[in-house]
Amino acid sequence: DAGVIQSPRHEVTEMGQEVTLRCKPISGHDYLFWYRQTMMRGLELLIYFNNNVPIDDSGMPEDRFSAKMPNASFSTLKIQPSEPRDSAVYFCASRQLGTNTGELFFGEGSRLTVL
Amino acid sequence: LAKTTQPISMDSYEGQEVNITCSHNNIATNDYITWYQQFPSQGPRFIIQGYKTKVTNEVASLFIPADRKSSTLSLPRVSLSDTAVYYCLVGDPGGYQKVTFGTGTKLQVIP
């Protein structure tokens, strides 16, 4: 398996623009997580899905953020409109419940810069 | 979810053994202790997990006392490539829990 795949790896955009980040989890994994990492706030959980259904979105900072998982192999995180304070690295991770360790597998991240 | 406390940063010279301790006083019966490692510009990756006593793999050892209120990640003979942030997590791997990361311990290995 290729692991968790995220795109784009880098995105530079201007304030007010819409940003869409994409994630393909590992096949067969039933949980998908979106995290945001900044120097100031560390690694924050934004939202997670179980079997494509959002379970907890309490970490989503505000209504400008939305996430979807239309099927088991694809998820998006959208920011509209984007602001400079949204600049961060966004990670997607997946896991399979029922495995011995329940470990999370992370993608390489999408580095977002909002000017 | 059990809260964890670990040192913010540590420095070590190459070749030394490094021990990072994590406190988790309110760990639940079904909770396991899991450690992740994050290199710069990469996502965290799982390195070791344990429930009690000692666990060892090719990367590290994990020591857990009988009361399970703390745990120690041990890295033998560190090299420069072990410079990373190490996160201690406590939770039930078989449970329906969201997985949150604390601040982690930033380990700097010095030549």
Side-chain angles (χ1 to χ4, degrees):
Chain A
D1 200 313
V4 176
I5 300 173
Q6 292 187 245
S7 64
R9 290 294 313 280
H10 301 274
E11 173 100 5
V12 180
T13 190
E14 293 187 344
M15 183 173 63
Q17 296 298 305
E18 178 179 291
V19 173
T20 299
L21 307 178
R22 298 172 178 80
C23 175
K24 176 178 167 54
I26 293 174
S27 177
H29 282 194
D30 43 16
Y31 279 81
L32 183 139
F33 300 77
W34 281 101
Y35 292 87
R36 176 174 70 174
Q37 188 168 39
T38 61
M39 288 291 291
M40 291 296 294
R41 302 176 68 90
L43 196 59
E44 302 174 276
L45 176 63
L46 301 178
I47 184 171
Y48 76 100
F49 295 82
N50 175 223
N51 291 325
N52 315 336
V53 176
I55 303 300
D56 188 330
D57 65 353
S58 59
M60 297 285 262
E62 42 195 283
D63 292 345
R64 297 184 297 105
F65 286 70
S66 63
K68 294 181 180 179
M69 192 165 185
N71 57 61
S73 58
F74 184 66
S75 177
T76 60
L77 179 67
K78 185 174 292 187
I79 308 172
Q80 167 63 23
S82 58
E83 296 182 4
R85 59 190 166 132
D86 301 330
S87 297
V89 181
Y90 291 81
F91 288 103
C92 175
S94 68
R95 69 188 287 211
Q96 183 176 22
L97 199 63
T99 59
N100 286 338
T101 63
E103 70 178 276
L104 284 173
F105 293 84
F106 281 79
E108 295 187 331
S110 294
R111 181 175 295 275
L112 173 65
T113 302
V114 183
L115 304 174
Chain B
L1 295 175
K3 179 180 166 63
T4 61
T5 304
Q6 52 183 124
I8 293 176
S9 65
M10 295 180 69
D11 291 338
S12 176
Y13 288 102
E14 274 191 295
Q16 290 190 328
E17 178 183 77
V18 170
N19 295 309
I20 306 174
T21 297
C22 179
S23 297
H24 28 79
N25 291 322
N26 59 339
I27 187 169
T29 301
N30 293 334
D31 287 345
Y32 281 65
I33 299 128
T34 308
W35 286 80
Y36 284 79
Q37 174 190 56
Q38 184 179 24
F39 296 117
S41 302
Q42 295 184 24
R45 70 167 186 140
F46 171 96
I47 51 173
I48 198 166
Q49 184 183 80
Y51 185 82
K52 61 180 179 181
T53 64
K54 176 183 174 182
V55 180
T56 298
N57 62 22
E58 65 278 4
V59 177
S61 294
L62 179 59
F63 298 91
I64 306 167
D67 66 5
R68 304 199 327 121
K69 293 184 183 299
S70 67
S71 58
T72 300
L73 176 73
S74 182
L75 304 172
R77 298 181 297 282
V78 294
S79 64
L80 295 177
S81 62
D82 292 315
T83 294
V85 178
Y86 293 83
Y87 297 94
C88 166
L89 281 71
V90 173
D92 180 357
Y96 301 89
Q97 292 181 356
K98 63 183 182 181
V99 183
T100 57
F101 287 74
T103 55
T105 298
K106 185 172 184 179
L107 172 66
Q108 181 68 53
V109 180
I110 306 164

Short mmCIF file of all heavy atoms in Angstrom, two decimals, chain A residues 9 31 33 35 37 43 45 48 50 56 58 91 95 97-104 106-108 111, chain B residues 32 34 36 38 41-46 49 87 89 92-102 106:
data_model
loop_
_atom_site.label_atom_id
_atom_site.label_comp_id
_atom_site.label_asym_id
_atom_site.label_seq_id
_atom_site.Cartn_x
_atom_site.Cartn_y
_atom_site.Cartn_z
N ARG A 9 1.10 19.10 -1.70
CA ARG A 9 2.12 19.11 -0.65
C ARG A 9 2.37 20.54 -0.16
O ARG A 9 2.65 20.76 1.02
CB ARG A 9 3.42 18.51 -1.17
CG ARG A 9 3.37 17.02 -1.42
CD ARG A 9 3.18 16.22 -0.12
NE ARG A 9 4.06 16.62 0.96
CZ ARG A 9 5.31 16.25 1.06
NH1 ARG A 9 5.87 15.46 0.16
NH2 ARG A 9 6.05 16.66 2.09
N TYR A 31 -11.10 4.70 9.97
CA TYR A 31 -11.07 6.00 10.62
C TYR A 31 -10.16 6.94 9.83
O TYR A 31 -9.09 6.53 9.36
CB TYR A 31 -10.52 5.90 12.05
CG TYR A 31 -11.55 5.46 13.07
CD1 TYR A 31 -11.85 4.11 13.23
CD2 TYR A 31 -12.20 6.39 13.88
CE1 TYR A 31 -12.80 3.72 14.16
CE2 TYR A 31 -13.14 5.99 14.82
CZ TYR A 31 -13.43 4.65 14.96
OH TYR A 31 -14.36 4.24 15.88
N PHE A 33 -8.59 11.01 10.13
CA PHE A 33 -8.40 12.17 11.00
C PHE A 33 -7.76 13.30 10.20
O PHE A 33 -6.88 13.07 9.38
CB PHE A 33 -7.47 11.84 12.17
CG PHE A 33 -7.95 10.72 13.07
CD1 PHE A 33 -7.85 9.40 12.68
CD2 PHE A 33 -8.46 11.01 14.32
CE1 PHE A 33 -8.27 8.37 13.51
CE2 PHE A 33 -8.89 9.99 15.17
CZ PHE A 33 -8.79 8.66 14.76
N TYR A 35 -5.62 16.79 11.04
CA TYR A 35 -4.91 17.56 12.06
C TYR A 35 -4.31 18.81 11.43
O TYR A 35 -4.04 18.85 10.24
CB TYR A 35 -3.75 16.75 12.66
CG TYR A 35 -4.14 15.56 13.50
CD1 TYR A 35 -4.37 14.32 12.92
CD2 TYR A 35 -4.27 15.67 14.88
CE1 TYR A 35 -4.72 13.22 13.69
CE2 TYR A 35 -4.62 14.58 15.67
CZ TYR A 35 -4.83 13.36 15.06
OH TYR A 35 -5.18 12.27 15.83
N GLN A 37 -1.06 21.56 12.29
CA GLN A 37 0.11 21.76 13.14
C GLN A 37 0.73 23.14 12.90
O GLN A 37 1.04 23.51 11.77
CB GLN A 37 1.17 20.68 12.90
CG GLN A 37 2.32 20.74 13.90
CD GLN A 37 3.20 19.51 13.84
OE1 GLN A 37 3.48 18.98 12.77
NE2 GLN A 37 3.66 19.04 15.00
N LEU A 43 0.05 20.12 17.46
CA LEU A 43 -0.73 19.26 16.59
C LEU A 43 -2.16 19.20 17.12
O LEU A 43 -2.43 18.61 18.16
CB LEU A 43 -0.09 17.87 16.58
CG LEU A 43 -0.47 16.89 15.49
CD1 LEU A 43 -0.14 17.46 14.12
CD2 LEU A 43 0.31 15.59 15.69
N LEU A 45 -6.22 18.28 16.63
CA LEU A 45 -7.19 17.47 15.92
C LEU A 45 -8.34 18.36 15.48
O LEU A 45 -8.96 19.04 16.31
CB LEU A 45 -7.71 16.36 16.82
CG LEU A 45 -8.82 15.49 16.23
CD1 LEU A 45 -8.33 14.72 15.00
CD2 LEU A 45 -9.35 14.51 17.27
N TYR A 48 -12.64 14.03 12.90
CA TYR A 48 -12.37 12.68 12.47
C TYR A 48 -13.65 11.98 12.03
O TYR A 48 -14.75 12.33 12.45
CB TYR A 48 -11.61 11.88 13.53
CG TYR A 48 -12.39 11.38 14.72
CD1 TYR A 48 -12.83 10.05 14.78
CD2 TYR A 48 -12.63 12.20 15.82
CE1 TYR A 48 -13.51 9.58 15.90
CE2 TYR A 48 -13.31 11.74 16.93
CZ TYR A 48 -13.74 10.43 16.97
OH TYR A 48 -14.41 9.97 18.08
N ASN A 50 -15.56 8.13 10.97
CA ASN A 50 -15.60 6.69 11.09
C ASN A 50 -16.52 6.17 10.00
O ASN A 50 -17.69 6.56 9.95
CB ASN A 50 -16.08 6.25 12.47
CG ASN A 50 -16.25 4.74 12.58
OD1 ASN A 50 -17.22 4.25 13.14
ND2 ASN A 50 -15.30 3.99 12.08
N ASP A 56 -16.63 13.65 15.24
CA ASP A 56 -16.34 14.75 16.15
C ASP A 56 -15.66 15.86 15.37
O ASP A 56 -14.55 15.68 14.88
CB ASP A 56 -15.44 14.26 17.29
CG ASP A 56 -15.25 15.31 18.39
OD1 ASP A 56 -15.29 16.52 18.09
OD2 ASP A 56 -15.05 14.92 19.55
N SER A 58 -15.41 19.00 16.76
CA SER A 58 -15.28 20.06 17.75
C SER A 58 -13.98 20.83 17.63
O SER A 58 -13.84 21.93 18.15
CB SER A 58 -15.41 19.49 19.17
OG SER A 58 -14.42 18.51 19.40
N PHE A 91 -2.29 17.73 8.34
CA PHE A 91 -2.03 16.31 8.20
C PHE A 91 -3.33 15.52 8.17
O PHE A 91 -4.28 15.83 8.90
CB PHE A 91 -1.18 15.79 9.38
CG PHE A 91 0.25 16.23 9.37
CD1 PHE A 91 0.67 17.24 10.23
CD2 PHE A 91 1.16 15.63 8.53
CE1 PHE A 91 2.01 17.64 10.24
CE2 PHE A 91 2.50 16.03 8.53
CZ PHE A 91 2.91 17.04 9.38
N ARG A 95 -6.59 5.03 10.36
CA ARG A 95 -6.32 3.87 11.22
C ARG A 95 -7.41 2.84 10.98
O ARG A 95 -8.50 3.14 10.48
CB ARG A 95 -6.30 4.27 12.69
CG ARG A 95 -7.64 4.66 13.25
CD ARG A 95 -7.56 5.21 14.65
NE ARG A 95 -7.29 4.22 15.67
CZ ARG A 95 -7.73 4.30 16.92
NH1 ARG A 95 -8.48 5.33 17.29
NH2 ARG A 95 -7.44 3.39 17.82
N LEU A 97 -9.60 0.20 13.07
CA LEU A 97 -10.00 -0.29 14.39
C LEU A 97 -9.96 -1.80 14.38
O LEU A 97 -10.28 -2.43 13.39
CB LEU A 97 -11.41 0.20 14.72
CG LEU A 97 -11.79 0.17 16.20
CD1 LEU A 97 -10.90 1.12 16.97
CD2 LEU A 97 -13.24 0.55 16.37
N GLY A 98 -9.52 -2.37 15.50
CA GLY A 98 -9.47 -3.82 15.59
C GLY A 98 -8.08 -4.37 15.37
O GLY A 98 -7.85 -5.55 15.62
N THR A 99 -7.16 -3.54 14.92
CA THR A 99 -5.77 -4.00 14.83
C THR A 99 -5.17 -4.02 16.24
O THR A 99 -5.71 -3.43 17.16
CB THR A 99 -4.94 -3.08 13.93
OG1 THR A 99 -4.98 -1.75 14.47
CG2 THR A 99 -5.50 -3.06 12.53
N ASN A 100 -4.03 -4.64 16.37
CA ASN A 100 -3.43 -4.79 17.69
C ASN A 100 -3.14 -3.46 18.36
O ASN A 100 -3.39 -3.29 19.55
CB ASN A 100 -2.12 -5.59 17.58
CG ASN A 100 -2.40 -7.06 17.35
OD1 ASN A 100 -3.48 -7.54 17.65
ND2 ASN A 100 -1.43 -7.75 16.80
N THR A 101 -2.62 -2.53 17.61
CA THR A 101 -2.16 -1.28 18.22
C THR A 101 -3.06 -0.10 17.92
O THR A 101 -2.98 0.90 18.61
CB THR A 101 -0.75 -0.92 17.72
OG1 THR A 101 -0.79 -0.69 16.32
CG2 THR A 101 0.24 -2.02 18.04
N GLY A 102 -3.90 -0.20 16.92
CA GLY A 102 -4.73 0.95 16.56
C GLY A 102 -3.92 2.15 16.12
O GLY A 102 -4.37 3.28 16.23
N GLU A 103 -2.71 1.88 15.60
CA GLU A 103 -1.84 3.00 15.30
C GLU A 103 -2.38 3.86 14.16
O GLU A 103 -3.09 3.38 13.27
CB GLU A 103 -0.43 2.51 14.94
CG GLU A 103 -0.32 1.80 13.62
CD GLU A 103 1.11 1.37 13.32
OE1 GLU A 103 1.87 2.21 12.79
OE2 GLU A 103 1.44 0.21 13.58
N LEU A 104 -2.01 5.12 14.23
CA LEU A 104 -2.35 6.07 13.19
C LEU A 104 -1.26 6.09 12.13
O LEU A 104 -0.08 6.06 12.46
CB LEU A 104 -2.46 7.48 13.77
CG LEU A 104 -3.69 7.84 14.58
CD1 LEU A 104 -3.52 9.21 15.20
CD2 LEU A 104 -4.92 7.81 13.70
N PHE A 106 0.09 8.49 9.18
CA PHE A 106 -0.02 9.87 8.72
C PHE A 106 0.47 10.02 7.29
O PHE A 106 1.40 9.32 6.85
CB PHE A 106 0.83 10.79 9.61
CG PHE A 106 0.18 11.15 10.91
CD1 PHE A 106 0.19 10.27 11.97
CD2 PHE A 106 -0.44 12.38 11.07
CE1 PHE A 106 -0.40 10.59 13.18
CE2 PHE A 106 -1.03 12.72 12.28
CZ PHE A 106 -1.01 11.82 13.33
N GLY A 107 -0.13 10.98 6.61
CA GLY A 107 0.40 11.42 5.33
C GLY A 107 1.56 12.37 5.54
O GLY A 107 1.93 12.67 6.67
N GLU A 108 2.11 12.85 4.44
CA GLU A 108 3.27 13.74 4.52
C GLU A 108 2.89 15.18 4.80
O GLU A 108 3.76 16.02 5.01
CB GLU A 108 4.10 13.63 3.25
CG GLU A 108 4.71 12.24 3.08
CD GLU A 108 5.67 12.17 1.91
OE1 GLU A 108 5.49 12.92 0.94
OE2 GLU A 108 6.61 11.35 1.96
N ARG A 111 1.44 21.74 3.35
CA ARG A 111 1.86 23.01 3.95
C ARG A 111 1.13 24.15 3.27
O ARG A 111 1.29 24.38 2.08
CB ARG A 111 3.37 23.18 3.82
CG ARG A 111 3.88 24.48 4.45
CD ARG A 111 5.40 24.57 4.41
NE ARG A 111 6.02 23.54 5.23
CZ ARG A 111 6.23 23.64 6.53
NH1 ARG A 111 5.87 24.74 7.18
NH2 ARG A 111 6.82 22.67 7.19
N TYR B 32 -3.91 1.84 26.74
CA TYR B 32 -2.54 1.50 26.44
C TYR B 32 -1.73 2.79 26.33
O TYR B 32 -2.30 3.88 26.16
CB TYR B 32 -2.46 0.74 25.11
CG TYR B 32 -2.83 -0.71 25.20
CD1 TYR B 32 -4.11 -1.11 25.52
CD2 TYR B 32 -1.88 -1.71 24.94
CE1 TYR B 32 -4.46 -2.45 25.59
CE2 TYR B 32 -2.22 -3.05 25.01
CZ TYR B 32 -3.50 -3.40 25.34
OH TYR B 32 -3.84 -4.73 25.42
N THR B 34 1.08 4.68 24.14
CA THR B 34 1.63 4.65 22.78
C THR B 34 2.55 5.84 22.57
O THR B 34 2.22 6.95 23.00
CB THR B 34 0.49 4.69 21.74
OG1 THR B 34 -0.47 3.68 22.04
CG2 THR B 34 1.03 4.48 20.34
N TYR B 36 4.71 8.12 19.70
CA TYR B 36 4.93 8.47 18.30
C TYR B 36 6.18 9.35 18.21
O TYR B 36 6.53 10.07 19.13
CB TYR B 36 3.73 9.24 17.73
CG TYR B 36 2.53 8.38 17.41
CD1 TYR B 36 1.66 7.96 18.41
CD2 TYR B 36 2.26 8.00 16.10
CE1 TYR B 36 0.55 7.18 18.11
CE2 TYR B 36 1.15 7.22 15.79
CZ TYR B 36 0.30 6.81 16.81
OH TYR B 36 -0.79 6.03 16.50
N GLN B 38 8.05 12.23 15.59
CA GLN B 38 7.84 13.11 14.45
C GLN B 38 9.14 13.82 14.08
O GLN B 38 9.67 14.61 14.88
CB GLN B 38 6.75 14.14 14.73
CG GLN B 38 6.45 15.00 13.51
CD GLN B 38 5.35 16.02 13.74
OE1 GLN B 38 5.08 16.43 14.87
NE2 GLN B 38 4.68 16.43 12.67
N SER B 41 9.14 18.25 9.20
CA SER B 41 8.51 18.20 7.87
C SER B 41 7.89 16.84 7.56
O SER B 41 7.67 16.52 6.38
CB SER B 41 9.51 18.56 6.78
OG SER B 41 10.04 19.85 7.01
N GLN B 42 7.62 16.05 8.58
CA GLN B 42 6.94 14.77 8.37
C GLN B 42 5.81 14.62 9.38
O GLN B 42 5.78 15.30 10.41
CB GLN B 42 7.91 13.60 8.54
CG GLN B 42 9.01 13.53 7.49
CD GLN B 42 9.87 12.30 7.65
OE1 GLN B 42 9.44 11.30 8.20
NE2 GLN B 42 11.10 12.37 7.16
N GLY B 43 4.89 13.71 9.09
CA GLY B 43 3.86 13.39 10.05
C GLY B 43 4.40 12.45 11.12
O GLY B 43 5.40 11.77 10.91
N PRO B 44 3.74 12.41 12.27
CA PRO B 44 4.18 11.48 13.32
C PRO B 44 4.10 10.04 12.84
O PRO B 44 3.28 9.70 11.99
CB PRO B 44 3.18 11.73 14.45
CG PRO B 44 2.65 13.10 14.20
CD PRO B 44 2.63 13.25 12.71
N ARG B 45 4.94 9.19 13.42
CA ARG B 45 4.87 7.77 13.12
C ARG B 45 4.95 6.99 14.41
O ARG B 45 5.66 7.36 15.35
CB ARG B 45 5.96 7.34 12.15
CG ARG B 45 7.37 7.36 12.74
CD ARG B 45 8.36 6.64 11.85
NE ARG B 45 9.66 6.54 12.51
CZ ARG B 45 10.45 5.48 12.46
NH1 ARG B 45 10.08 4.40 11.80
NH2 ARG B 45 11.61 5.48 13.08
N PHE B 46 4.21 5.90 14.46
CA PHE B 46 4.14 5.03 15.62
C PHE B 46 5.50 4.39 15.85
O PHE B 46 6.15 3.94 14.90
CB PHE B 46 3.10 3.95 15.34
CG PHE B 46 3.04 2.83 16.34
CD1 PHE B 46 2.13 2.86 17.37
CD2 PHE B 46 3.87 1.72 16.22
CE1 PHE B 46 2.05 1.81 18.28
CE2 PHE B 46 3.81 0.68 17.11
CZ PHE B 46 2.90 0.72 18.15
N GLN B 49 4.26 0.62 21.65
CA GLN B 49 3.06 0.64 22.48
C GLN B 49 3.16 -0.44 23.56
O GLN B 49 3.73 -1.51 23.30
CB GLN B 49 1.81 0.39 21.64
CG GLN B 49 0.49 0.49 22.39
CD GLN B 49 -0.69 0.16 21.49
OE1 GLN B 49 -0.99 -1.01 21.25
NE2 GLN B 49 -1.35 1.17 20.98
N TYR B 87 5.97 11.97 21.15
CA TYR B 87 4.66 12.17 21.77
C TYR B 87 4.23 10.92 22.53
O TYR B 87 4.34 9.80 22.01
CB TYR B 87 3.59 12.45 20.71
CG TYR B 87 3.78 13.72 19.92
CD1 TYR B 87 4.42 13.69 18.69
CD2 TYR B 87 3.28 14.93 20.37
CE1 TYR B 87 4.59 14.84 17.94
CE2 TYR B 87 3.44 16.09 19.62
CZ TYR B 87 4.08 16.03 18.41
OH TYR B 87 4.24 17.17 17.67
N LEU B 89 0.97 9.11 24.15
CA LEU B 89 -0.49 9.11 24.09
C LEU B 89 -1.02 7.98 24.95
O LEU B 89 -0.41 6.90 25.03
CB LEU B 89 -0.98 8.89 22.65
CG LEU B 89 -0.97 10.05 21.68
CD1 LEU B 89 0.44 10.44 21.28
CD2 LEU B 89 -1.78 9.71 20.44
N ASP B 92 -7.44 3.76 24.61
CA ASP B 92 -7.82 2.38 24.28
C ASP B 92 -7.73 2.20 22.77
O ASP B 92 -8.55 2.75 22.04
CB ASP B 92 -9.25 2.15 24.77
CG ASP B 92 -9.75 0.74 24.48
OD1 ASP B 92 -8.99 -0.04 23.85
OD2 ASP B 92 -10.87 0.42 24.89
N PRO B 93 -6.75 1.43 22.29
CA PRO B 93 -6.60 1.27 20.84
C PRO B 93 -7.79 0.59 20.19
O PRO B 93 -8.01 0.72 19.00
CB PRO B 93 -5.33 0.43 20.72
CG PRO B 93 -5.18 -0.26 22.02
CD PRO B 93 -5.76 0.65 23.05
N GLY B 94 -8.57 -0.13 20.99
CA GLY B 94 -9.75 -0.78 20.43
C GLY B 94 -11.01 -0.01 20.65
O GLY B 94 -12.10 -0.45 20.30
N GLY B 95 -10.87 1.17 21.24
CA GLY B 95 -12.04 1.96 21.58
C GLY B 95 -12.35 3.01 20.54
O GLY B 95 -11.55 3.32 19.68
N TYR B 96 -13.52 3.57 20.65
CA TYR B 96 -13.96 4.56 19.68
C TYR B 96 -13.60 5.95 20.18
O TYR B 96 -14.46 6.74 20.54
CB TYR B 96 -15.46 4.42 19.46
CG TYR B 96 -15.83 3.04 18.95
CD1 TYR B 96 -16.10 2.01 19.82
CD2 TYR B 96 -15.86 2.79 17.59
CE1 TYR B 96 -16.43 0.75 19.35
CE2 TYR B 96 -16.17 1.53 17.11
CZ TYR B 96 -16.45 0.52 17.99
OH TYR B 96 -16.76 -0.72 17.52
N GLN B 97 -12.30 6.22 20.20
CA GLN B 97 -11.83 7.47 20.77
C GLN B 97 -11.14 8.34 19.74
O GLN B 97 -10.44 7.83 18.87
CB GLN B 97 -10.84 7.19 21.90
CG GLN B 97 -11.43 6.54 23.12
CD GLN B 97 -10.39 6.32 24.20
OE1 GLN B 97 -9.22 6.59 24.01
NE2 GLN B 97 -10.82 5.84 25.34
N LYS B 98 -11.31 9.63 19.90
CA LYS B 98 -10.52 10.52 19.08
C LYS B 98 -9.09 10.52 19.62
O LYS B 98 -8.88 10.36 20.82
CB LYS B 98 -11.10 11.91 19.06
CG LYS B 98 -11.15 12.64 20.39
CD LYS B 98 -11.84 13.98 20.19
CE LYS B 98 -11.87 14.78 21.46
NZ LYS B 98 -12.58 16.08 21.26
N VAL B 99 -8.15 10.68 18.74
CA VAL B 99 -6.74 10.59 19.11
C VAL B 99 -6.16 12.00 19.11
O VAL B 99 -6.07 12.64 18.07
CB VAL B 99 -5.97 9.69 18.13
CG1 VAL B 99 -4.51 9.56 18.57
CG2 VAL B 99 -6.62 8.31 18.04
N THR B 100 -5.79 12.47 20.30
CA THR B 100 -5.22 13.81 20.42
C THR B 100 -3.78 13.73 20.89
O THR B 100 -3.41 12.84 21.64
CB THR B 100 -6.03 14.68 21.40
OG1 THR B 100 -6.08 14.02 22.66
CG2 THR B 100 -7.45 14.89 20.89
N PHE B 101 -2.99 14.68 20.42
CA PHE B 101 -1.57 14.74 20.75
C PHE B 101 -1.32 15.91 21.69
O PHE B 101 -1.88 16.98 21.52
CB PHE B 101 -0.74 14.91 19.48
CG PHE B 101 -0.66 13.69 18.63
CD1 PHE B 101 -1.75 13.29 17.87
CD2 PHE B 101 0.50 12.93 18.57
CE1 PHE B 101 -1.69 12.16 17.08
CE2 PHE B 101 0.58 11.79 17.78
CZ PHE B 101 -0.52 11.40 17.04
N GLY B 102 -0.45 15.70 22.66
CA GLY B 102 -0.03 16.79 23.53
C GLY B 102 1.10 17.56 22.87
O GLY B 102 1.27 17.52 21.66
N LYS B 106 10.64 17.55 22.62
CA LYS B 106 11.57 17.79 21.52
C LYS B 106 12.95 17.33 21.95
O LYS B 106 13.57 17.92 22.83
CB LYS B 106 11.59 19.27 21.15
CG LYS B 106 12.44 19.56 19.92
CD LYS B 106 12.28 21.01 19.48
CE LYS B 106 13.06 21.27 18.20
NZ LYS B 106 12.90 22.66 17.72
#
